[in-house]
Amino acid sequence: MPIPTELVGSLPRPEKLQNAYQDLDDGKITWEDLQALQDEAAEDSIKRLEATGEPIVTDGEQRESSFATYPITDTLAGTGLADNLAGDGQFFAIFDDGHHRQLPRLTGGPFRYKTFASEFVEKNRKIATHDVKQAVIAPSMLMLLYPLEGEIEGYSRDQFLADLCDEVEKDIRQCFAAGAVRVSVDFTEGRLANKNDARNPWTGRNMLQDFIDLNNQVFDRFSPEERRNIGIHTCPGGDNDSVHSKEVPYEKLLSKMFDINAGYFLIQCASEEDKEEVYRLCGKYSREDANGVAQVCFMGVINPLTPEVETAEQVKNDLLTAAKHIPVERLGATDDCGFSPFSRDLKPKHGSPDFARDVAMQKISARLEGTRMASEELGV
Ligand SMILES: [Zn+2]
């Protein structure tokens, strides 16, 4: 079987759509007006991905406030926030360029999603002629909605975590029921968990093991056959062409991450200084048998945060090097991250989000061609 390839999920929202999100926040347009533009951008994303030959497509997350907040708010500014949440939660991340992203704060129970990702899958399946995947958010991210200190009166942390795991399980199951062939779980908080950033207290609380345990509580509800198609995505962040945790030694995460009983991993690598070391670590720590499923390592061969387009030759060479460390039957190719995980993303290094959409398609084409060339050379 040729080396499989898969995108993470998001694409930059067209500038017109980004402005419409703002217009909704400002009360200038209705939710229905915004949805019409989301649908238009989603269709364009799917058609363009299919034109590159991407075997499994997404809508580029055009209908989502962000990869992390789609279940609980319609916009990043908090328009359409779910029940029992307030806008003033803790930072999720402070990025290297100085900007930050903040989470809502849970004020009481019960915790319930207002939007499940299967809504997007249903719509996308009506448009797509290729298979459809969906990215969903990990429980380990949303556990940060609960205040770091103390307990909410009448809604214990344990009860919240139990409710959260139920919602994430439902999110994944409904995506498959709606026709997704793959569901990947975004786990960008994994590497950040070892950052010890004094400005962002949760990153100094040594939470990586808690994250992994919580994610496994959800993964363990699925059979090995189901987990073959449930992935984990890791990266050092990707927003406004900046990162939040690239300086954290990767081995701290990679030595633990494969304890999650996922069937595949979408692993940032192209932007690392020492890519071969990352292949080696993935070869060392990924498991042939994770409770009944072999873990496939999709290595990042494309950097979505730079406008320079990788060549197919580069992609091929990266994968050939990776194959020296990772068994080829457990090797795949991906992009380092989604191209725009948050709805408001001006892609400053690219100059504009519209241009960044064009660049994304060129990069994806290079990944597809380079992966094909590597498969041919490896004889798979
Ligand atoms: Zn990412």
Side-chain angles (χ1 to χ4, degrees), residues 73-84:
T73 185
D74 295 337
T75 76
L76 288 168
T79 303
L81 196 60
D83 292 342
N84 300 321

Side-chain angles (χ1 to χ4, degrees), residues 35 39 63 118-127:
Q35 279 191 305
D39 288 343
R63 303 182 179 94
S118 53
E119 281 185 27
F120 315 131
V121 177
E122 274 166 29
K123 289 180 176 175
N124 297 341
R125 284 259 293 158
K126 292 193 184 122
I127 304 163

Side-chain angles (χ1 to χ4, degrees), residues 8 186 188 233-238 336-338 341:
V8 174
D186 284 327
T188 178
H233 163 59
T234 182
C235 67
D336 275 8
C337 189

Side-chain angles (χ1 to χ4, degrees), residues 33-51:
D33 294 335
L34 178 65
Q35 279 191 305
L37 287 172
Q38 290 175 334
D39 288 343
E40 193 183 293
E43 182 165 349
D44 182 66
S45 301
I46 291 168
K47 296 250 163 81
R48 291 181 74 178
L49 286 171
E50 291 191 341

Side-chain angles (χ1 to χ4, degrees), residues 275-331:
K275 291 185 267 193
E276 186 153 10
E277 176 63 4
V278 180
Y279 306 140
R280 192 186 67 78
L281 292 170
C282 290
K284 178 177 173 187
Y285 292 113
S286 65
R287 290 179 293 157
E288 182 59 51
D289 181 1
N291 276 3
V293 63
Q295 294 180 324
V296 181
C297 299
F298 286 69
M299 302 310 301
V301 291
I302 296 293
N303 182 358
L305 304 182
T306 63
E308 292 79 33
V309 179
E310 293 81 356
T311 65
E313 192 74 17
Q314 269 176 301
V315 169
K316 180 194 80 173
N317 290 337
D318 282 354
L319 290 171
L320 293 180
T321 309
K324 292 182 194 159
H325 301 277
I326 300 164
V328 70
E329 66 278 9
R330 290 201 289 111
L331 177 63

